[in-house]
Amino acid sequence: STSWLQPSCLLMDDQYVCTVGVDDLVLLTRVENDSIMENLRKRAEQDIIYTYIGPVLLAVNPYRKLPIYDQSHMMQYQGRFQHELPPHIFMVAEDAFRTMVAEEESQCIIISGESGAGKT
């Protein structure tokens, strides 16, 4: 069954946040190449380019600018925890900052991908 690929919406902070598939691939009933790729494909078709797999954030390059990097998006992630909001690079930054402050240690974020994949 692919019912998990149907859109679902939640009311968060007085606005609806809709998602397709699962936000975290560890939640798939079958963690297999086909179900992972189908989940990523369906989400990318809806401009949902970020998906977690545990603490790792995967990004699918949309090959165009998306309106998800403005000040209002950034502010939504401040003071929040990983699964409170949909996956986003701002959550990775928030988590690293919080851990840096709490543990008083430097943090490292690894960004990996092929040349031309949109890492910038």
Side-chain angles (χ1 to χ4, degrees):
S1 170
T2 58
S3 61
W4 52 271
L5 289 173
Q6 301 306 311
S8 64
C9 299
L10 298 171
L11 183 61
M12 294 180 153
D13 296 333
D14 296 327
Q15 69 182 56
Y16 282 97
V17 177
C18 298
T19 190
V20 173
V22 295
D23 284 343
D24 192 329
L25 295 175
V26 300
L27 299 175
L28 290 173
T29 53
R30 303 182 90 179
V31 182
E32 301 171 336
N33 190 52
D34 288 344
S35 57
I36 290 170
M37 295 305 292
E38 181 68 4
N39 190 68
L40 294 175
R41 185 182 66 75
K42 284 288 193 182
R43 291 170 64 80
E45 287 173 353
Q46 299 297 315
D47 291 334
I48 305 170
I49 64 168
Y50 293 118
T51 304
Y52 293 118
I53 184 161
V56 175
L57 181 69
L58 300 177
V60 175
N61 189 342
Y63 295 103
R64 60 190 169 80
K65 288 186 177 189
L66 296 177
I68 59 173
Y69 301 106
D70 57 23
Q71 188 76 17
S72 66
H73 275 86
M74 185 173 63
M75 297 303 291
Q76 288 178 15
Y77 287 84
Q78 284 189 334
R80 304 304 276 276
F81 292 92
Q82 182 172 328
H83 293 290
E84 288 184 72
L85 292 172
H88 199 289
I89 191 67
F90 291 153
M91 189 69 256
V92 173
E94 176 65 22
D95 189 50
F97 180 76
R98 180 180 12 289
T99 303
M100 179 185 69
V101 170
E103 296 181 9
E104 298 180 351
E105 282 202 24
S106 297
Q107 300 295 299
C108 176
I109 298 172
I110 299 172
I111 300 173
S112 177
E114 294 181 10
S115 178
K119 297 177 297 297
T120 305

